[in-house]
């Protein structure tokens, strides 16, 4: 209901002043421009919400120097898909917070969204989500990484995630003693 | 250049670790110096997963599992969120749980039958402040996520009786034994009715309870008790309640006992604000109709006096008392705001009943041969539903039914559209859209035939605003018009 109202109002204002648009333009570190709905950006990203509220949005492209074009494309894609996946904003914005859990399981489309990403793209997206304060996207991407870690031995994890072991033998032994229960049957 | 996971900031790495089963998460300390000290994470979430202990053997080792659980809980000091997942083949689960005899019950009331997993863990002092509890069991499958399970897997799970025993009874004295628990999710868990009730009673903060394929028994059913494979678990794949009449000859007929057990169970949820029931059986089975005494004993107004959102999913069998059940539920929920019903037809039942003519017309249509039949059990004059007069704002109806049963769906749409005073939004989803066509025709027909109905609707301050997609009605939005403005009946064809 609120979304409908917001759209209606946005259309009104667009007629009045072209400058007051309902999308924001974001500029990646390599200078590519992306458009995203102002409403979705404000709802999904605390940083963009702050910029929109604070008026620091540049119509010619708000510079996001920390985010590459591929990651920013995924961010914008996620915002658009998120907006489309909501059957009714009114049902979602129900006055009852029915799930007190900070994180719900990823939905089917979110799973597919992160599944198709390469490792590098996934990590870039994690950084972008973290930078933009996108809690949900951060959860979904981190959840994906956690699934890649599940059931793997430390050696396997090092290999998959490109981690260099910089412990000495003695230090390793010490930690293994300390957390012996976590290394059962390794 | 390949990205190194260690380059991510601490809080992101800890967020990742908070989704990893605790044993695997703790062992990341040895990855590199960068990873030391990240675990335990500030999320204070403990995930105990038997899969972490089954790398080299098929049977999860119960001793190691509980040793690890204790160590993990102790390391967190105060746990906020606890999840227990047991995954193994059926006989493995039984072996797994029968090994638990290694720690005989310290409490006299706890049965020493090796059926309890989560109860053992919940007794740990670190769990005193747990706010979320999740317990689930499942068969190993190719995929790691329970969401991707196919219907066949589900069937297999059901037939193989894949349940984790759960003793949630708080240690005596049972005064607010779980003072902080706010959310509980149980999946494929066998739980004693009375321990679940005690647990709910001992959780004053509880506002979210999710039961999925939970088998609620009135008596403990030991794995060894029915080796003949002739057990009743097949029909016990219910969320909300289960019954078993196989192992105990003194059990009453499950058909008559099922409704009683369901409502007795409901009595203990008066503090709950959000309730989602996914029933694997005919919703009508739990109807309480007619019998006055039984009605009074099992149901009372405001049984679920704090419930704000109710979701019910179950089978619709023509000829069963679905309407009565819905009426029972409405009667119990005086302040419910958001109601979602999801009805499925079970195959083979739909041919029994003849088509009833139904339309969305109001009372003014009495000369209309298409006048909708009122729903017995819902539309009876003697029944009054406080929630319809006051709190109810949103109704969502989802049907997966055959064409004939859609008549009932249409009746329900009519009922909620007309009787709910403060209705703001109504969603109808019928999957294959057969019902859309039905409503479509009726709405259009009524509009042409009797314009007076829109006046009748006006008096209730409600209007239809159908969305048309591909010429089909997919949802009906009702909005209370602003005071003074005449509402517009906005049905248009696509």
């Amino acid at each position: 209901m609120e979304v409908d109202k917001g759209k209606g109002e946005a259309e009104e204002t667009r007629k009045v002043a072209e400058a007051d648009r309902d999308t924001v333009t974001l500029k990646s570190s390599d200078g590519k421009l992306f458009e995203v709905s102002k409403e979705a950006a404000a709802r999904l990203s605390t940083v963009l919400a702050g910029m929109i509220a604070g008026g620091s949005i540049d119509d010619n492209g708000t510079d996001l120097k920390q985010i590459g074009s591929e990651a920013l494309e995924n961010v914008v894609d996620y915002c658009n898909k998120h907006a489309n996946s909501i059957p009714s904003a009114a049902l979602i914005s129900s006055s009852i917070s029915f799930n007190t859990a900070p994180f719900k399981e990823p939905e089917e489309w979110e799973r597919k969204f992160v599944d198709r990403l390469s490792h590098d793209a996934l990590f870039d997206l994690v950084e972008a989500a973290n930078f933009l304060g996108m809690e949900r996207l951060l959860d979904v991407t981190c959840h994906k990484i956690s699934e890649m870690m599940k059931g793997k031995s430390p050696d396997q994890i090092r290999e998959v995630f490109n981690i260099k072991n910089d412990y000495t033998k003695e230090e390793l032994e010490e930690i293994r003693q300390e957390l012996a229960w976590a290394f059962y049957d390794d | 250049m390949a990205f190194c996971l260690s380059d991510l900031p601490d809080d992101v790495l800890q967020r990742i670790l908070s989704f990893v089963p605790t044993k695997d998460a703790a062992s990341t300390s040895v990855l590199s110096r960068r990873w030391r000290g990240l675990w335990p994470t500030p999320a204070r979430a403990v995930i105990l997963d038997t899969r972490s202990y089954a790398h080299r053997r098929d049977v999860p080792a119960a001793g190691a599992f509980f040793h690890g659980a204790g160590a993990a809980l102790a390391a967190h000091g105060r746990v906020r969120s606890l999840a227990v997942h047991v995954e193994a083949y059926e006989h493995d689960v039984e072996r797994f749980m029968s090994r638990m005899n290694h720690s005989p019950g310290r409490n006299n009331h706890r049965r020493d039958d090796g059926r309890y997993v989560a109860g053992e863990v919940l007794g740990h002092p670190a769990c005193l402040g747990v706010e979320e509890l999740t317990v689930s069991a499942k068969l190993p499958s190719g995929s790691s996520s329970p969401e991707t399970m196919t219907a066949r897997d589900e069937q297999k799970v059901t037939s193989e009786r894949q349940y984790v025993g759960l003793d949630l009874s708080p240690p005596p004295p049972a005064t607010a034994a779980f003072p902080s628990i706010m959310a509980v999710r149980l999946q494929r868990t066998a739980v004693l009715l009375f321990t679940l009730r005690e647990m709910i009673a001992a959780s004053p903060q509880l506002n979210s309870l999710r039961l999925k394929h939970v088998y609620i028994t009135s008596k403990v059913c030991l794995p060894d008790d029915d080796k003949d494979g002739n057990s009743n678990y097949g029909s016990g794949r219910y969320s909300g309640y289960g019954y078993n009449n196989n192992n105990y000859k003194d059990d009453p007929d499950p058909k008559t006992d099922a409704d009683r057990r369901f409502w007795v169970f409901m009595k203990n949820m008066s503090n709950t604000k959000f309730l989602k029931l996914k029933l694997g059986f005919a919703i009508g089975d739990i109807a309480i109709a007619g019998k006055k005494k039984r009605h009074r004993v099992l149901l009372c107004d405001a049984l679920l006096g704090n419930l704000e959102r109710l979701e019910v999913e179950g089978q619709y069998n023509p000829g069963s008392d679905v309407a009565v059940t819905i009426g029972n539920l409405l009667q119990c929920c005086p302040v419910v705001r958001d109601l979602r019903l999801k009805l499925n037809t079970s195959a083979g039942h739909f041919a029994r009943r003849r088509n009833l003519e139904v339309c969305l017309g109001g009372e003014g249509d009495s000369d209309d041969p298409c006048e909708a039949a009122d729903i017995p059990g819902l539309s009876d004059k003697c029944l009054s539903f406080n929630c319809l007069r006051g709190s109810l704002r949103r109704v969502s109806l989802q049907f997966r039914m055959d064409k004939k049963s859609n008549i009932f769906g249409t009746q329900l749409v009519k009922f909620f559209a007309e009787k709910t005073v403060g209705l703001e939004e109504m969603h109808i989803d019928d999957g294959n859209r057969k019902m859309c066509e039905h409503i479509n025709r009726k709405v259009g027909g009524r509009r042409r035939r009797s314009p007076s109905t829109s006046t009748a609707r006006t008096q209730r301050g409600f209007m239809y605003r159908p969305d048309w997609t591909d010429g089909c009605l997919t949802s009906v939005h009702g909005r209370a018009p602003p005071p003074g403005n005449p509402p517009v009946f906005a049905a248009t064809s696509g």
Side-chain angles (χ1 to χ4, degrees):
Chain A
M1 202 191 318
E2 278 151 23
V3 167
D4 279 357
K5 204 175 149 194
K7 269 185 192 160
E9 278 172 7
E11 273 179 30
E12 282 298 313
T13 47
R14 187 159 47 174
K15 283 175 197 160
V16 177
E18 193 62 33
D20 231 6
R21 299 176 308 166
D22 57 3
T23 59
V24 287
T25 308
L26 306 174
K27 196 177 188 177
S28 67
S29 59
D30 43 349
K32 285 195 182 164
L33 298 177
F34 296 92
E35 277 211 7
V36 64
S37 132
K38 192 180 266 182
E39 183 276 325
R43 182 160 42 87
L44 296 170
S45 158
T46 53
V47 170
L48 290 179
M51 289 169 87
I52 291 166
S56 55
I57 287 287
D58 186 344
D59 284 341
N60 299 320
T62 306
D63 260 334
L64 298 172
K65 291 204 173 69
Q66 295 81 352
I67 303 177
S69 58
E70 195 193 353
L72 193 56
E73 189 178 351
N74 282 324
V75 166
V76 169
D77 197 13
Y78 178 83
C79 288
N80 293 336
K81 283 201 167 100
H82 199 279
N84 292 338
S85 75
I86 299 173
S88 158
L91 279 179
I92 297 297
S93 67
S94 162
S95 62
I96 313 158
S97 150
F98 60 89
N99 195 340
T100 53
F103 173 68
K104 285 190 289 175
E105 288 282 308
E107 290 176 33
E108 191 56 36
W109 71 269
E110 289 175 320
R111 231 174 248 285
K112 282 186 187 147
F113 181 81
V114 291
D115 278 353
R116 65 182 174 81
L117 299 174
S118 70
H119 277 200
D120 284 1
L122 180 62
F123 293 143
D124 286 343
L125 188 56
V126 170
E127 286 200 311
N130 190 41
F131 175 76
L132 292 171
M134 301 176 71
E135 281 292 309
R136 176 70 192 177
L137 181 56
L138 195 53
D139 271 342
V140 170
T141 47
C142 284
H143 190 267
K144 172 65 186 169
I145 296 176
S146 81
E147 283 187 341
M148 293 156 69
M149 296 175 81
K150 255 181 220 172
K152 289 197 171 70
S153 71
D155 279 340
Q156 288 168 319
I157 292 177
R158 281 191 204 109
E159 195 182 326
V160 171
F161 294 109
N162 198 18
I163 296 165
K164 197 171 171 287
N165 179 8
D166 52 3
Y167 282 122
T168 64
K169 249 188 168 175
E170 292 74 27
E171 283 173 320
L172 266 187
E173 197 45 46
E174 189 191 319
I175 298 170
R176 279 178 169 272
Q177 298 272 323
E178 215 174 278
L179 293 168
W181 61 271
F183 297 98
Y184 175 85
D185 89 359
D186 264 351
Chain B
M1 194 201 93
F3 194 94
C4 177
L5 189 60
S6 307
D7 293 346
L8 293 172
D10 278 12
D11 54 340
V12 175
L13 291 180
Q14 287 181 323
R15 194 184 287 246
I16 294 169
L17 288 182
S18 70
F19 298 134
V20 179
T22 299
K23 176 175 173 287
D24 300 345
S27 67
T28 59
S29 303
V30 298
L31 289 177
S32 73
R33 288 175 202 272
R34 172 82 183 82
W35 289 77
R36 199 164 187 188
L38 293 178
W39 186 91
T41 70
R44 291 186 286 123
V46 171
I47 303 171
L48 304 172
D49 194 326
T50 56
R51 279 169 289 186
S52 307
Y53 295 87
H55 291 321
R56 289 195 187 165
R57 60 202 88 188
D58 298 329
V59 185
F65 179 84
F66 286 100
H67 176 67
L73 292 169
H76 278 80
R78 215 169 148 264
V79 177
R80 194 193 62 78
S81 158
L82 175 68
V84 181
H85 299 289
V86 176
E87 183 186 79
Y89 290 102
E90 184 205 5
H91 62 280
D92 292 339
V93 167
E94 289 180 11
R95 275 164 68 188
F96 174 73
M97 289 189 291
S98 62
R99 284 197 193 180
M100 291 183 48
N101 287 326
H102 74 280
S103 62
R106 283 153 308 211
N107 302 318
N108 290 334
H109 74 289
R110 182 172 293 173
R111 296 179 192 216
D112 185 22
D113 54 20
R115 290 278 295 170
Y116 307 126
V117 177
E120 290 279 340
V121 176
L122 265 180
H124 195 282
C127 294
L128 192 66
V130 164
E131 291 170 19
E132 291 166 37
L133 172 67
T134 306
V135 181
S136 64
K138 79 182 206 72
L139 284 173
S141 59
S143 67
S144 58
S145 62
E147 282 75 24
T148 55
M149 270 180 71
T150 64
R152 185 178 289 174
D153 288 336
E154 299 241 359
Q155 199 55 46
K156 206 173 162 202
V157 166
T158 308
S159 60
E160 295 195 10
R161 303 187 277 110
Q162 181 75 12
Y163 293 100
V164 184
L166 175 62
D167 177 11
L168 286 172
S169 57
T175 47
F178 308 108
S180 314
I181 283 194
M182 292 163 72
V184 174
R185 270 176 289 193
L186 307 177
Q187 196 169 359
R188 297 201 171 77
T189 306
V191 58
L192 276 167
L193 175 59
F194 88 94
T195 58
L196 186 57
R197 285 165 54 196
E198 275 181 51
M199 188 258 178
I200 292 166
S203 309
Q205 302 286 320
L206 191 70
N207 64 17
S208 166
L209 179 66
R210 290 190 173 204
L211 306 171
K212 195 172 176 190
H213 297 178
V214 169
Y215 185 95
I216 299 175
T217 58
S218 58
K219 290 174 181 174
V220 176
C221 171
L222 302 182
D224 290 340
D225 274 356
D226 55 70
K227 279 186 181 132
D228 56 5
N230 190 24
S231 95
N232 200 26
Y233 274 69
S235 57
R237 182 198 135 194
Y238 315 134
S239 306
Y241 83 107
Y243 48 80
N244 97 56
N245 65 343
N246 228 33
N247 306 304
Y248 300 96
K249 290 187 180 108
D250 58 343
D251 249 18
D253 172 25
K255 265 284 180 199
T256 55
D257 190 42
D259 54 352
R260 185 189 65 81
R261 197 170 301 160
F262 176 83
W263 292 106
V264 167
F265 164 61
M266 283 295 152
K267 272 191 181 167
N268 294 275
M269 310 222 289
S270 58
N271 287 327
T272 312
K273 290 192 169 175
F274 166 54
L275 178 64
K276 180 173 179 175
L277 291 169
K278 196 171 173 184
L279 310 169
F281 54 94
I283 291 180
D285 283 1
I286 52 170
I288 304 284
K291 305 160 196 162
K292 278 256 163 83
K293 189 182 168 200
R294 198 171 160 75
H295 209 276
R296 209 169 44 242
V297 170
L298 291 178
L299 299 175
C300 46
D301 286 336
L303 182 66
L304 301 166
N306 286 320
L307 199 66
E308 292 179 23
R309 178 164 150 184
L310 175 65
E311 293 186 31
V312 183
E313 180 179 342
Q315 288 167 17
Y316 166 71
N317 291 347
S320 67
D321 295 329
V322 182
V324 178
T325 302
I326 294 171
N328 292 155
L329 286 167
L330 289 177
Q331 202 182 346
C332 295
C333 310
V335 298
V336 71
R337 288 177 54 86
D338 193 347
L339 175 70
R340 301 177 186 199
L341 290 174
K342 194 172 173 185
L343 300 178
N344 312 303
T345 312
S346 58
H349 288 286
F350 52 83
R352 278 195 211 149
R353 255 201 184 174
R354 285 212 42 146
N355 208 333
L356 291 170
E357 264 305 321
V358 168
C359 87
L360 282 159
E363 294 87 337
D365 283 344
S366 55
D367 56 343
D368 190 329
C370 274
E371 166 64 3
D374 280 338
I375 310 177
L378 267 183
S379 308
D380 296 352
K381 289 236 156 50
C382 59
L383 293 172
S384 67
F385 302 116
N386 286 333
C387 60
L388 297 186
R389 287 201 300 267
S391 58
L392 195 62
R393 293 288 177 273
R394 296 191 182 94
V395 175
S396 168
L397 302 170
Q398 212 181 68
F399 305 103
R400 294 290 180 273
M401 307 202 290
D402 59 276
K403 200 160 191 172
K404 282 178 182 167
S405 298
N406 278 341
I407 301 297
F408 179 74
T410 314
Q411 284 178 307
L412 269 186
V413 173
K414 172 182 182 275
F415 173 79
F416 283 110
E418 292 185 354
K419 306 282 183 191
T420 313
V421 176
L423 192 66
E424 287 173 359
E425 194 155 346
M426 181 185 272
H427 285 259
I428 303 157
D429 172 8
D430 75 334
N432 56 18
R433 291 188 171 169
K434 281 177 188 159
M435 200 180 84
C436 290
E437 293 160 19
H438 194 77
I439 293 180
N440 229 353
R441 199 171 67 237
K442 296 302 179 188
V443 170
R446 197 201 58 177
R447 200 156 55 104
R448 279 193 302 275
R449 273 196 310 272
S450 58
S452 64
T453 38
S454 64
T455 319
R457 187 97 36 226
T458 308
Q459 285 156 3
R460 279 187 288 275
F462 178 83
M463 63 172 173
Y464 286 117
R465 222 197 52 165
D467 290 343
W468 299 86
T469 311
D470 304 333
C472 269
L473 180 68
T474 50
S475 69
V476 179
H477 296 271
R479 298 263 168 79
N485 286 10
V488 185
F489 186 62
T492 52
S493 74

Short mmCIF file of all heavy atoms in Angstrom, two decimals, chain A residues 161-180:
data_model
loop_
_atom_site.label_atom_id
_atom_site.label_comp_id
_atom_site.label_asym_id
_atom_site.label_seq_id
_atom_site.Cartn_x
_atom_site.Cartn_y
_atom_site.Cartn_z
N PHE A 161 39.90 -21.08 -0.35
CA PHE A 161 39.81 -19.64 -0.14
C PHE A 161 41.16 -18.93 -0.17
O PHE A 161 41.27 -17.78 0.23
CB PHE A 161 39.11 -19.35 1.19
CG PHE A 161 37.67 -19.78 1.20
CD1 PHE A 161 37.26 -20.87 1.94
CD2 PHE A 161 36.73 -19.09 0.44
CE1 PHE A 161 35.94 -21.27 1.94
CE2 PHE A 161 35.40 -19.48 0.43
CZ PHE A 161 35.01 -20.59 1.19
N ASN A 162 42.17 -19.66 -0.62
CA ASN A 162 43.44 -19.00 -0.85
C ASN A 162 44.04 -18.40 0.43
O ASN A 162 44.46 -17.24 0.47
CB ASN A 162 43.22 -17.89 -1.91
CG ASN A 162 44.51 -17.45 -2.54
OD1 ASN A 162 45.50 -18.16 -2.47
ND2 ASN A 162 44.49 -16.27 -3.15
N ILE A 163 44.05 -19.20 1.49
CA ILE A 163 44.55 -18.71 2.78
C ILE A 163 45.91 -19.35 3.05
O ILE A 163 46.08 -20.57 2.91
CB ILE A 163 43.57 -19.06 3.92
CG1 ILE A 163 42.24 -18.34 3.70
CG2 ILE A 163 44.15 -18.68 5.28
CD1 ILE A 163 41.11 -18.87 4.53
N LYS A 164 46.86 -18.53 3.43
CA LYS A 164 48.21 -19.04 3.67
C LYS A 164 48.39 -19.30 5.16
O LYS A 164 48.12 -18.43 6.00
CB LYS A 164 49.26 -18.04 3.19
CG LYS A 164 50.63 -18.64 3.03
CD LYS A 164 51.56 -17.65 2.34
CE LYS A 164 53.00 -18.14 2.36
NZ LYS A 164 53.62 -18.05 3.68
N ASN A 165 48.81 -20.49 5.49
CA ASN A 165 49.03 -20.84 6.90
C ASN A 165 50.33 -20.20 7.38
O ASN A 165 51.41 -20.57 6.93
CB ASN A 165 49.08 -22.37 7.02
CG ASN A 165 49.33 -22.81 8.45
OD1 ASN A 165 49.32 -21.99 9.37
ND2 ASN A 165 49.54 -24.09 8.63
N ASP A 166 50.24 -19.24 8.31
CA ASP A 166 51.45 -18.58 8.80
C ASP A 166 51.75 -18.94 10.25
O ASP A 166 52.46 -18.22 10.94
CB ASP A 166 51.33 -17.06 8.62
CG ASP A 166 50.04 -16.51 9.21
OD1 ASP A 166 49.28 -17.30 9.81
OD2 ASP A 166 49.80 -15.30 9.08
N TYR A 167 51.17 -20.02 10.74
CA TYR A 167 51.45 -20.48 12.09
C TYR A 167 52.75 -21.30 12.11
O TYR A 167 53.10 -21.92 11.11
CB TYR A 167 50.34 -21.39 12.60
CG TYR A 167 49.09 -20.68 13.08
CD1 TYR A 167 47.87 -20.96 12.51
CD2 TYR A 167 49.14 -19.78 14.15
CE1 TYR A 167 46.72 -20.36 12.96
CE2 TYR A 167 48.00 -19.18 14.59
CZ TYR A 167 46.78 -19.46 14.00
OH TYR A 167 45.65 -18.86 14.46
N THR A 168 53.40 -21.31 13.25
CA THR A 168 54.46 -22.29 13.45
C THR A 168 53.83 -23.61 13.90
O THR A 168 52.66 -23.63 14.31
CB THR A 168 55.45 -21.83 14.54
OG1 THR A 168 54.74 -21.77 15.79
CG2 THR A 168 56.04 -20.47 14.22
N LYS A 169 54.61 -24.67 13.81
CA LYS A 169 54.10 -25.98 14.20
C LYS A 169 53.62 -25.98 15.65
O LYS A 169 52.59 -26.55 15.98
CB LYS A 169 55.20 -27.03 14.01
CG LYS A 169 54.90 -27.99 12.90
CD LYS A 169 55.91 -29.11 12.90
CE LYS A 169 55.42 -30.21 11.98
NZ LYS A 169 56.33 -31.29 11.79
N GLU A 170 54.42 -25.30 16.51
CA GLU A 170 54.10 -25.28 17.94
C GLU A 170 52.78 -24.56 18.19
O GLU A 170 51.95 -25.00 18.97
CB GLU A 170 55.22 -24.60 18.74
CG GLU A 170 56.54 -25.37 18.79
CD GLU A 170 57.30 -25.32 17.46
OE1 GLU A 170 57.11 -24.33 16.72
OE2 GLU A 170 58.05 -26.27 17.17
N GLU A 171 52.62 -23.42 17.50
CA GLU A 171 51.39 -22.65 17.67
C GLU A 171 50.17 -23.48 17.26
O GLU A 171 49.14 -23.50 17.94
CB GLU A 171 51.44 -21.37 16.84
CG GLU A 171 52.31 -20.29 17.44
CD GLU A 171 52.48 -19.11 16.49
OE1 GLU A 171 52.63 -19.34 15.27
OE2 GLU A 171 52.46 -17.97 16.97
N LEU A 172 50.31 -24.16 16.12
CA LEU A 172 49.20 -24.99 15.64
C LEU A 172 48.82 -26.04 16.67
O LEU A 172 47.64 -26.26 16.95
CB LEU A 172 49.61 -25.68 14.34
CG LEU A 172 49.23 -24.99 13.03
CD1 LEU A 172 49.56 -25.90 11.86
CD2 LEU A 172 47.75 -24.65 13.03
N GLU A 173 49.86 -26.67 17.22
CA GLU A 173 49.62 -27.73 18.19
C GLU A 173 48.90 -27.17 19.41
O GLU A 173 47.97 -27.79 19.94
CB GLU A 173 50.96 -28.38 18.58
CG GLU A 173 50.81 -29.72 19.26
CD GLU A 173 49.80 -30.62 18.55
OE1 GLU A 173 49.83 -30.73 17.30
OE2 GLU A 173 48.96 -31.19 19.28
N GLU A 174 49.31 -25.97 19.81
CA GLU A 174 48.70 -25.32 20.98
C GLU A 174 47.20 -25.10 20.75
O GLU A 174 46.37 -25.39 21.62
CB GLU A 174 49.41 -23.98 21.22
CG GLU A 174 49.03 -23.30 22.52
CD GLU A 174 49.56 -21.86 22.55
OE1 GLU A 174 50.71 -21.65 22.10
OE2 GLU A 174 48.82 -20.99 22.99
N ILE A 175 46.86 -24.57 19.57
CA ILE A 175 45.44 -24.31 19.29
C ILE A 175 44.65 -25.61 19.21
O ILE A 175 43.53 -25.71 19.72
CB ILE A 175 45.30 -23.54 17.95
CG1 ILE A 175 45.98 -22.19 18.05
CG2 ILE A 175 43.83 -23.34 17.62
CD1 ILE A 175 46.09 -21.46 16.72
N ARG A 176 45.28 -26.61 18.61
CA ARG A 176 44.58 -27.89 18.50
C ARG A 176 44.29 -28.49 19.87
O ARG A 176 43.26 -29.12 20.08
CB ARG A 176 45.41 -28.87 17.66
CG ARG A 176 45.23 -28.63 16.18
CD ARG A 176 46.08 -29.57 15.36
NE ARG A 176 45.72 -29.52 13.97
CZ ARG A 176 44.76 -30.28 13.43
NH1 ARG A 176 44.11 -31.15 14.17
NH2 ARG A 176 44.46 -30.17 12.17
N GLN A 177 45.23 -28.27 20.80
CA GLN A 177 45.01 -28.75 22.18
C GLN A 177 43.85 -27.98 22.82
O GLN A 177 42.96 -28.55 23.45
CB GLN A 177 46.27 -28.53 23.01
CG GLN A 177 47.48 -29.29 22.53
CD GLN A 177 47.56 -30.67 23.12
OE1 GLN A 177 47.22 -30.83 24.28
NE2 GLN A 177 48.00 -31.63 22.35
N GLU A 178 43.93 -26.68 22.62
CA GLU A 178 42.95 -25.78 23.23
C GLU A 178 41.53 -26.12 22.78
O GLU A 178 40.59 -26.11 23.56
CB GLU A 178 43.29 -24.36 22.78
CG GLU A 178 43.04 -23.28 23.79
CD GLU A 178 43.57 -21.96 23.24
OE1 GLU A 178 44.78 -21.70 23.34
OE2 GLU A 178 42.75 -21.24 22.67
N LEU A 179 41.39 -26.40 21.49
CA LEU A 179 40.08 -26.65 20.90
C LEU A 179 39.97 -28.09 20.44
O LEU A 179 39.48 -28.38 19.35
CB LEU A 179 39.84 -25.72 19.71
CG LEU A 179 39.70 -24.24 20.01
CD1 LEU A 179 39.76 -23.42 18.73
CD2 LEU A 179 38.40 -23.95 20.74
N ALA A 180 40.45 -29.01 21.30
CA ALA A 180 40.53 -30.41 20.89
C ALA A 180 39.18 -30.92 20.40
O ALA A 180 39.11 -31.67 19.42
CB ALA A 180 41.02 -31.25 22.06
#
